[in-house]
Amino acid sequence: RGHARRLRAVMCRTEVAALGVRRTARHVAAVWLVLAGVVAPADVAYRDDGANEEAFVASGAAALSAAEVRRLADEHLAAGRVRHVQAGSEEHRRLQDGALLLPPIKMAITNAAPTVETWKILELELLVGQCAENKVVPGAPYSAAYSSGTRPENPDDIPEFASDGSLATAYTAPCFNGCQPAEAFIGLDVTAMPEWMEAQEPNKTFEEVRVRCFRLFQSGDIRWSTERIDLQEVYYSLTNLIHVTLDSFDVAAGAWSRR
């Protein structure tokens, strides 16, 4: 079993590093996965139309460690490989069939409505499980901050300030001439939580790492606030980070919003 898991990890890392190689190389890799008994033939099926590219080594992706997933996710973010989908949509269902085998790796909010200038967030708390459990995702340094970046003129307004427990500091999104819907996002990585590893065990679901509630305090200046946010969970796939919008909420400016 140990040999099989190592083989799965090696094959997945190879595929991640070589997404642009010829189709024949993918077919050879698939043969090895099947012959080694790591995955069933259906798990590595490759459709010539390319629609299921990400599912090619989806089973192997589950062999990646949390640290490896974080590193690969950071590479996607740095390259701007981020896509947004609506939960329950046809696109989301296609992804669930192959690419989204790992639990969500990050939880975030994004501006569902535009802002006038930028988006300034003083505090954000994300809670997993049911709201009554009050299970807050811990902020930095335990859980790494996740964001769309910072403004060059405000390099000190880092995303960690959005979860430091203080209303005297803030995170400022890197928008110019206003943040268009879904242009800015802020959240936390959850792969360091014990619940994330437990969610990958047999007969477990992703519910233990699914955000149901949030508390948000954004700027009271209407130039730096949004009227509505999307609550999202972020998945790692071979080609990008996938933001799945779970729900949308109206939020206040200059006061706590709780949902």
Side-chain angles (χ1 to χ4, degrees):
R1 179 177 298 178
H3 172 73
R5 286 183 60 83
R6 286 193 295 273
L7 178 59
R8 291 169 68 187
V10 169
M11 294 307 298
C12 184
R13 286 194 293 269
T14 300
E15 181 67 16
V16 170
L19 284 173
V21 299
R22 295 174 300 172
R23 184 176 304 166
T24 52
R26 290 196 293 266
H27 290 169
V28 170
V31 170
W32 276 105
L33 284 169
V34 174
L35 291 179
V38 177
V39 294
D43 292 330
V44 292
Y46 174 76
R47 297 215 307 263
D48 286 345
D49 62 6
N52 206 27
E53 175 91 13
E54 292 169 348
F56 174 66
V57 287
S59 294
L64 292 172
S65 69
E68 288 173 314
V69 170
R70 286 194 293 270
R71 178 181 62 79
L72 294 169
D74 287 344
E75 292 178 2
H76 282 337
L77 181 62
R81 296 189 290 267
V82 177
R83 60 193 284 200
H84 296 260
V85 302
Q86 182 69 41
S89 66
E90 181 61 29
E91 183 180 12
H92 183 221
R93 285 191 288 270
R94 287 199 304 270
L95 291 168
Q96 285 179 311
D97 288 340
L100 306 184
L101 291 188
L102 288 173
I105 62 172
K106 304 175 190 296
M107 302 298 171
I109 61 171
T110 185
N111 62 305
T115 67
V116 177
E117 291 185 7
T118 186
W119 194 19
K120 194 168 186 176
I121 298 172
L122 283 67
E123 276 298 305
L124 171 66
E125 287 186 353
L126 298 171
L127 297 86
V128 298
Q130 299 303 316
C131 299
E133 298 178 57
N134 199 37
K135 191 183 297 183
V136 179
V137 178
Y142 184 83
S143 297
Y146 173 66
S147 77
S148 49
T150 56
R151 290 172 65 94
E153 68 270 31
N154 299 98
D156 295 331
D157 292 352
I158 56 177
E160 285 77 9
F161 283 159
S163 58
D164 65 354
S166 172
L167 295 179
T169 58
Y171 162 68
T172 304
C175 304
F176 299 91
N177 301 317
C179 299
Q180 297 307 306
E183 181 180 354
F185 53 85
I186 179 71
L188 291 167
D189 187 285
V190 297
T191 57
M193 298 179 66
E195 292 86 351
W196 190 81
M197 295 302 298
E198 293 170 2
Q200 300 182 68
E201 296 177 0
N203 303 318
K204 292 286 187 177
T205 69
F206 295 171
E207 291 302 315
E208 290 299 317
V209 289
R210 182 153 285 156
V211 167
R212 299 293 188 188
C213 312
F214 70 89
R215 301 187 187 105
L216 172 68
F217 197 113
Q218 62 175 344
S219 173
D221 191 320
I222 60 173
R223 298 172 300 169
W224 305 334
S225 59
T226 183
E227 296 178 347
R228 192 168 180 82
I229 64 101
D230 287 338
L231 180 63
Q232 300 181 321
E233 52 191 19
V234 183
Y235 290 86
Y236 165 79
S237 79
L238 295 178
T239 55
N240 48 37
L241 292 175
I242 302 170
H243 283 229
V244 178
T245 296
L246 303 176
D247 208 341
S248 299
F249 302 91
D250 292 331
V251 289
W256 282 103
S257 295
R258 296 177 173 86
R259 297 291 186 272

